[in-house]
């Protein structure tokens, strides 16, 4: 029988960042494997578990331990991202639990598509969920992700709200894809109905990951799409603010 500390996950990479993957300076571990194929994904190298390095919980915790004092002093913590960390729920659960035992702030960066895989024990070890909502409208969601249904994400968001687990909702604004006024209004109204949303981040689409597609021999679907102008990004943020949401 595998002990919790010997659980093995597929870890693509990890780094230290500030103000990107949660509050303060974060140790962010990127797990390999994702069920979605978002048109604007900037990390196609994390799509498959085979692209990760087999890593036990103890091994990842040893890496985190090297930075434990620094990230605590810096008011940060540990974020599990991806890929999609809920594709590896047992590994994710144990790492989060161990981080919580060390007194470290924990964050889960997820699309919510596999939210049903997060049991109560896993969520009990989470201080913050960074919920990447691709779109509220089902048709737009399918276009963005090239698979799947938005229903699991919305269900997961309501579950987090009911459990009073803090959320940062992230939404990528893509010209001609997710920038429709009706879709933005619908998502803002949905987010406003959740009790534990601390902030909304409207992130402008960019093509900074296009070189990864080239290296993998893949076509970047949005290679001809320009970043949205600052005025369009701010207009989307105004919609969320009009619903009483703290928006950046």
């Amino acid at each position: 029988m595998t002990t919790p500390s010997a659980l093995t996950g597929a870890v693509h990479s990890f780094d230290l960042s500030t103000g990107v993957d949660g509050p303060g300076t974060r140790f962010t571990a990127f797990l390999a494997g994702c069920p979605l194929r978002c048109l604007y994904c900037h990390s196609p190298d994390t799509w498959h578990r085979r692209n990760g390095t087999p890593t036990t919980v103890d091994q990842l915790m040893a890496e985190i331990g090297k930075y434990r004092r620094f990230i605590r002093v810096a008011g940060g913590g540990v974020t599990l991202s991806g890929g999609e960390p809920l594709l590896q729920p047992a590994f994710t659960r144990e790492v989060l639990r161990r981080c919580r035992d060390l007194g470290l702030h924990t964050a889960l960066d997820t699309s919510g598509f596999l939210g049903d895989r997060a049991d109560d024990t896993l969520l009990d070890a989470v201080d913050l969920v960074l919920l990447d909502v691709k779109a509220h409208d089902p048709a737009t969601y399918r276009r963005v992700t090239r698979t799947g249904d938005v229903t699991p994400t919305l269900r997961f968001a309501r579950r987090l709200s009911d459990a009073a687990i803090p959320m940062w909702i992230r939404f990528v604004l893509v010209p001609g894809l997710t920038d429709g006024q009706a879709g933005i209004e619908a998502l803002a109204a949905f987010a406003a109905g959740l009790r534990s949303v601390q902030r909304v981040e409207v992130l402008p689409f960019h093509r900074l990951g296009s070189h990864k597609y080239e290296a993998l021999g893949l076509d970047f679907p949005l290679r001809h799409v320009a970043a949205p102008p600052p005025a369009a990004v701010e207009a989307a943020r105004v919609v969320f603010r009009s619903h009483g949401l703290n928006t950046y």
Side-chain angles (χ1 to χ4, degrees):
M1 181 177 179
T2 302
T3 62
S5 61
L7 279 170
T8 300
V11 178
H12 177 269
S13 56
F14 51 81
D15 68 13
L16 288 178
S17 61
T18 301
V20 177
D21 300 306
T25 299
R26 317 289 300 180
F27 179 102
T28 301
F30 300 91
L31 306 192
C34 183
L36 306 180
R37 295 293 181 267
C38 297
L39 294 175
Y40 54 71
C41 179
H42 61 270
S43 299
D45 48 333
T46 66
W47 284 350
H48 304 288
R49 289 192 63 166
R50 64 176 179 268
N51 295 135
T53 300
T55 306
T56 67
V57 171
D58 276 351
Q59 288 172 328
L60 184 55
M61 292 307 301
E63 290 295 332
I64 293 170
K66 296 175 184 178
Y67 305 96
R68 176 188 176 190
R69 182 172 180 178
F70 172 72
I71 58 180
R72 288 191 67 180
V73 171
V78 175
T79 299
L80 295 189
S81 185
E84 172 52 69
L86 293 182
L87 196 63
Q88 306 179 54
F91 182 78
T92 294
R93 180 194 311 115
E94 186 61 17
V95 172
L96 291 171
R97 187 190 67 78
R98 292 274 296 272
C99 289
R100 174 67 70 81
D101 288 347
L102 291 176
L104 296 172
H105 181 276
T106 59
L108 174 69
D109 184 4
T110 176
S111 72
F113 181 68
L114 298 180
D116 291 344
R117 295 192 180 189
D119 61 20
D120 290 343
T121 303
L122 188 156
L123 292 184
D124 284 345
V126 175
D127 292 309
L128 172 68
V129 173
L130 308 175
L131 187 61
D132 301 311
V133 183
K134 314 299 181 180
H136 183 273
D137 171 66
T140 303
Y141 184 91
R142 284 193 296 273
R143 284 183 61 203
V144 170
T145 63
R146 295 188 279 189
T147 184
D149 175 15
V150 70
T151 303
T153 296
L154 303 183
R155 181 169 61 241
F156 185 57
R158 294 188 188 99
R159 181 180 167 203
L160 295 173
S161 176
D162 291 343
I165 297 173
M167 276 180 277
W168 290 7
I169 288 183
R170 290 172 157 181
F171 170 67
V172 179
L173 189 71
V174 185
L177 184 62
T178 64
D179 59 346
Q181 183 71 16
I184 295 172
E185 286 279 1
L187 179 55
F190 173 77
L194 303 173
R195 295 183 295 174
S196 59
V197 175
Q198 293 185 335
R199 64 191 282 172
V200 174
E201 296 180 340
V202 177
L203 307 174
F205 162 75
H206 61 72
R207 297 181 295 198
L208 298 180
S210 59
H211 67 283
K212 296 182 181 180
Y213 286 82
E214 295 174 6
L216 294 169
L218 299 173
D219 178 59
F220 181 42
L222 302 182
R223 65 187 181 280
H224 298 305
V225 177
V233 178
E234 182 59 23
R237 290 171 177 157
V238 167
V239 174
F240 285 95
R241 291 177 188 136
S242 72
H243 285 265
L245 295 159
N246 185 30
T247 306
Y248 297 88

